[in-house]
C-alpha cells in the first residue's frame, strides 16, 4: 500500500462516548508516528474534540454518521436499518479499502453481524471466531472462540486452532505457539466427538504450531499453552465464569480486610499493592474481542473501556495489520486442507 | 427403617489414606449422635485406627476389602476387575440395603461407573449428574452437571433442573429454589437448541421451583439463582476455570504484596485476614461432587480432602438421606412427564 496504515474508528460505539476515543488516539500517536485515522460519528462533536490537538487533527479524517448503534439493538435490526450508523460506516471504510483495520467499542453481536455482512469470511474458513487475551500465571494466552458461535464442529475447531496460532504468532511473536483444545480431561479418550475429531486432525498436521492435545479449564489461567481452542458456547461461559470468580475473590478479600482493626491497618499500609491488584483484575484494562476469520481486521474494545483500554485495542489492530495475519491464516488453512486431501487419497 | 441411619464409607479412596477418614468420623459423631458407619478397606489398618476411639468403635463395622481403586484406574477396568476393591464394596453395601448412603474420596469416573452399575438410575431420569456447591456473593449455589456426561439433550437438562431443585430444597431448606440455565446471554432467543428447548419446558411447568430463565457465567458467583443447570462438558470446564482463576488471583495478590517494603509490612499486619481468605478459597474446604439421579445417595469427597472436607461430604450425604431426596426427584419428574403428555394431548 502507498498510503499510511489507516485505522477506521467507530467514535460513537462505547458507553463513554467520543471523548474517550480521542484520549485513546492521543496515546496511540505517541506510539505510532506513521498511522492515520478515519473517525466515524457526529461530525460537529468530533471536530470540536480534536480541534484542540493539532498533532492529532493533521492525522484524522472525520466522516459524519448521523446514527449510532445502541447496546440493546439486535444484530438483525442493525443489518436491516443500520446503514447510517457510525458502526456500519466504520466497517464499510475497511471494505472500500480506505482503511486497513476497524476498531469499535460497540455492541458485540451487531459488530460481528455488520462485519460478516460487509467483509465476508476468509476463503477456506467456515466461521469467524472471537478471540480474547487471557492473563495467566506465565503471561498471556489466546482463547477462542469466546462467543461468535453457539457450537462448533471438528472442522470449525480446526479453523479456530489455525486462527489462534496465527494470532499468537503475530501478537506474541512466537514461531511455534503451543495449542490445546479445551476438554473435560487431558486423556485422549475423553470428551465429545467434536473435540476428539479436531484433536485427531491437528495431531497429524504439519502446521507451524506445537499441538499439545487437550487442556482443562484450570490450564487456561496456568498458561499451559499459548492458544486455547473451544466452541463459542463453552468459551463464552468460561470467560464470564472467570470474570465472576475474580470479582468474588476480590469481594472476599475486601471482607477479610475489613474484619478487624489489625487487618484494616494492614490494608491501609498495603494499599498501593492492593490497588495494583485491582488494576490487574480490571476488565477495562484487558483487550476486548478480536474478530478472526474475516476479510479484514476488526477489533472490539470493551464497551466500558477507558482511554487505556481503547488505545490497547487500537494497538492490537495495528499489530495484526502490520503482520498481515490473514495471509498466514489463509496459508495455514490451505495446508491443512491439502494434507487432509492427501491423507484421504492415501487411503484409496 | 428400623436400624439407625447408616453411612457406607470407602476408607481407602482418598489421597491421604484412612487416617483422614477416621479423623472425619470423629467430627461426624459429635454432630450426629444416632448415625452408624460401615467402613470398607484394609481391616488390620482400620481396626488399629479406630481401636483408640471407643465412642467411634461402637458405631463402626469394618468390612475387609483386599484391593483399592487408584486415581489412574480407568472406569472400564474397575467395572471388569474391581469387585474386590473398597470402592465396589462401599456401593454394594447401599445396594444390599445395609447402608443408606455412600461416601468415597476415590477416582470420580470409577465411582460413577461403579455406582451406576450397581444402583441403577431413578425411573424417569435419563442420566445421572454430578452436582457441586459453589460459593457466591450471596451464599451458595448448586451447579450441575459438572462432569458426569459430555453433552446433554433438552430432556436431560430438564432432569438436571429437577434434581438440582430437589437438592437445593433439601440442602438449603428452600421451598421454591430459583433455577437458571447456563447460556451465552440472558435473552430468550440466545443459545443452542438444547438450552432453548429445556427453557421452554421449564417455563411451562408447575414444579416447585421459580424458573428464572437463562443465566450467564458471571451469574454463578453472583448468586443470581439457587440452582444453575448446564451440560457436563460446559459445567466441568466452568468449574475448573473458576478454580484456576481463584489460584491466579491469589498468586497476583502474593506478588503485589511482596513488591515493596510497605506492602510486605501491610501483609504482615493483615496476615490473619489473608489466612482467612486462603481458607475460604481452599478447594479442600468445599464439598466434592454429589451424584444425583441414582437409586441411592452417593457423595464424592475431594481426593485431596482433609478431615474437615471429608466430614462435610458425610454431612451432605446424611442430610440427603434424611430428607429422602430421591422421593422428591421421582415425584417432580413424574409431574413434568404428565404435564408434557397433557400438553401434547391438548394440541390434538
Amino acid at each position: 500500500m502507498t498510503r499510511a496504515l489507516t485505522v477506521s474508528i467507530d467514535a460513537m460505539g462505547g458507553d463513554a462516548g467520543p471523548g474517550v476515543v480521542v484520549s485513546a488516539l492521543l496515546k496511540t500517536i505517541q506510539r505510532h508516528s506513521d498511522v492515520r485515522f478515519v473517525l466515524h460519528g457526529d461530525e460537529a462533536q468530533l471536530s470540536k474534540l480534536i480541534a484542540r490537538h493539532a498533532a492529532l487533527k493533521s492525522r484524522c479524517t472525520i466522516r459524519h454518521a448521523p446514527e449510532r448503534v445502541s447496546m440493546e439493538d439486535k444484530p438483525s435490526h442493525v443489518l436491516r436499518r443500520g446503514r447510517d450508523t457510525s458502526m456500519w460506516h466504520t466497517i464499510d471504510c475497511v471494505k472500500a479499502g480506505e482503511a486497513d483495520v476497524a476498531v469499535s467499542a460497540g455492541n458485540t453481536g451487531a459488530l460481528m453481524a455488520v462485519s460478516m455482512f460487509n467483509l465476508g469470511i476468509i476463503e477456506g474458513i467456515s466461521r469467524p471466531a472471537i478471540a480474547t487475551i487471557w492473563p495467566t500465571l506465565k503471561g498471556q494466552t489466546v482463547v477462542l472462540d469466546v462467543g461468535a458461535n453457539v457450537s462448533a464442529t471438528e472442522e470449525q475447531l480446526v479453523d479456530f486452532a489455525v486462527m489462534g496460532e496465527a494470532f499468537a504468532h503475530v501478537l506474541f511473536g512466537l514461531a511455534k505457539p503451543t495449542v490445546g483444545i479445551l476438554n473435560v480431561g487431558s486423556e485422549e479418550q475423553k470428551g465429545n466427538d467434536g473435540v476428539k475429531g479436531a484433536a485427531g486432525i491437528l495431531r497429524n498436521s504439519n502446521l507451524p504450531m506445537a499441538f499439545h492435545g487437550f487442556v482443562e479449564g484450570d490450564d487456561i489461567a496456568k498458561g499451559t499453552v499459548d492458544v486455547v481452542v473451544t466452541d463459542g458456547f463453552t468459551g463464552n461461559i468460561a470467560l464470564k465464569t472467570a470474570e465472576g470468580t475474580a470479582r468474588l475473590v476480590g469481594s472476599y478479600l475486601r471482607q477479610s480486610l475489613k474484619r478487624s482493626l489489625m487487618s484494616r491497618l494492614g490494608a491501609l499500609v498495603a494499599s498501593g499493592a492492593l490497588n495494583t491488584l485491582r488494576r490487574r483484575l480490571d476488565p477495562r484494562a484487558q483487550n476486548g474481542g478480536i474478530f478472526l476469520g474475516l476479510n479484514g481486521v476488526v477489533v472490539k474494545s470493551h464497551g466500558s473501556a477507558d482511554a487505556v483500554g481503547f488505545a490497547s485495542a487500537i494497538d492490537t489492530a495495528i499489530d495484526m495489520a502490520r503482520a498481515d495475519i490473514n495471509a498466514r491464516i489463509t496459508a495455514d488453512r490451505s495446508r491443512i486442507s491439502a494434507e487432509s486431501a492427501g491423507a484421504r487419497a492415501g487411503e484409496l
Side-chain angles (χ1 to χ4, degrees), chain A:
Chain A
M1 65 196 99
T2 51
R3 61 164 167 71
L5 194 144
T6 305
V7 186
S8 176
I9 291 182
D10 177 2
M12 316 302 282
D15 301 336
V20 160
V21 171
V22 170
S23 303
L25 292 177
L26 291 170
K27 292 180 193 295
T28 306
I29 57 172
Q30 285 172 2
R31 286 180 235 165
H32 303 276
S33 57
D34 52 347
V35 173
R36 292 193 54 84
F37 310 97
V38 185
L39 303 188
H40 305 270
D42 184 275
E43 189 165 24
Q45 209 179 345
L46 290 172
S47 300
K48 207 169 148 193
L49 279 167
I50 65 167
R52 287 170 255 166
H53 311 286
L56 179 60
K57 198 181 168 193
S58 66
R59 292 159 68 179
C60 280
T61 308
I62 296 173
R63 297 268 176 82
H64 183 64
E67 294 177 16
R68 52 169 294 181
V69 174
S70 80
M71 289 298 175
E72 292 71 39
D73 284 337
K74 288 196 182 159
S76 56
H77 174 82
V78 178
L79 280 184
R80 277 197 314 272
R81 313 220 165 248
R83 306 209 172 202
D84 288 332
T85 60
S86 58
M87 181 187 282
W88 193 289
H89 286 202
T90 300
I91 301 300
D92 201 46
C93 186
V94 172
K95 183 187 180 188
E98 294 174 70
D100 303 283
V101 297
V103 179
S104 170
N107 175 331
T108 308
L111 185 61
M112 178 53 90
V114 170
S115 302
M116 267 186 78
F117 181 85
N118 283 301
L119 303 174
I121 300 171
I122 296 179
E123 206 187 316
I125 295 287
S126 58
R127 289 210 211 153
I130 301 177
T132 192
I133 299 171
W134 199 296
T136 73
L137 287 175
K138 293 185 188 162
Q140 293 184 315
T141 287
V142 183
V143 181
L144 78 167
D145 177 21
V146 295
N149 312 283
V150 292
S151 63
T153 63
E154 60 177 52
E155 282 292 340
Q156 284 155 4
L157 290 171
V158 170
D159 285 353
F160 299 168
V162 165
M163 299 194 289
E165 167 254 304
F167 186 75
H169 173 76
V170 166
L171 258 277
F172 306 155
L174 300 169
K176 270 187 107 165
T178 53
V179 177
I181 296 179
L182 197 55
N183 197 357
V184 294
S186 53
E187 304 85 357
E188 271 191 39
Q189 79 278 6
K190 289 254 174 137
N192 57 37
D193 292 343
V195 298
K196 285 193 270 190
I201 296 171
L202 291 174
R203 220 172 265 127
N204 297 318
S205 83
N206 289 306
L207 285 181
M209 67 167 79
F211 181 60
H212 175 93
F214 294 134
V215 293
E216 298 190 60
D218 53 341
D219 286 306
I220 308 175
K222 273 186 199 160
T224 305
V225 289
D226 302 311
V227 180
V228 172
V229 170
T230 186
D231 66 272
F233 188 85
T234 312
N236 180 275
I237 287 170
L239 179 64
K240 291 196 174 153
T241 300
E243 289 174 0
T245 307
R247 270 198 296 270
L248 180 70
V249 175
S251 155
Y252 280 180
L253 177 64
R254 282 189 298 280
Q255 284 170 24
S256 299
L257 291 176
K258 276 184 193 153
R259 204 158 286 166
S260 72
L261 187 63
M262 280 300 268
S263 57
R264 274 187 219 185
L265 191 64
L268 192 68
V269 177
S271 61
L274 295 173
N275 284 336
T276 305
L277 176 72
R278 196 167 305 136
R279 272 195 302 277
R280 223 166 154 179
L281 294 177
D282 184 351
R284 285 172 304 173
Q286 313 294 333
N287 275 292
I290 298 103
F291 291 8
L292 295 172
L294 300 167
N295 286 315
V297 169
V298 179
V299 175
K300 157 77 173 76
S301 177
H302 257 279
S304 59
D306 58 10
V308 174
F310 202 88
S312 153
I314 298 175
D315 273 351
T316 302
I318 292 172
D319 287 347
M320 289 168 71
R322 287 243 162 87
D324 201 359
I325 185 172
N326 281 355
R328 189 177 171 104
I329 292 173
T330 306
D332 285 356
R333 182 67 251 191
S334 306
R335 195 195 306 210
I336 279 207
S337 300
E339 281 169 5
S340 300
R344 280 195 300 275
E347 288 164 7
L348 292 178

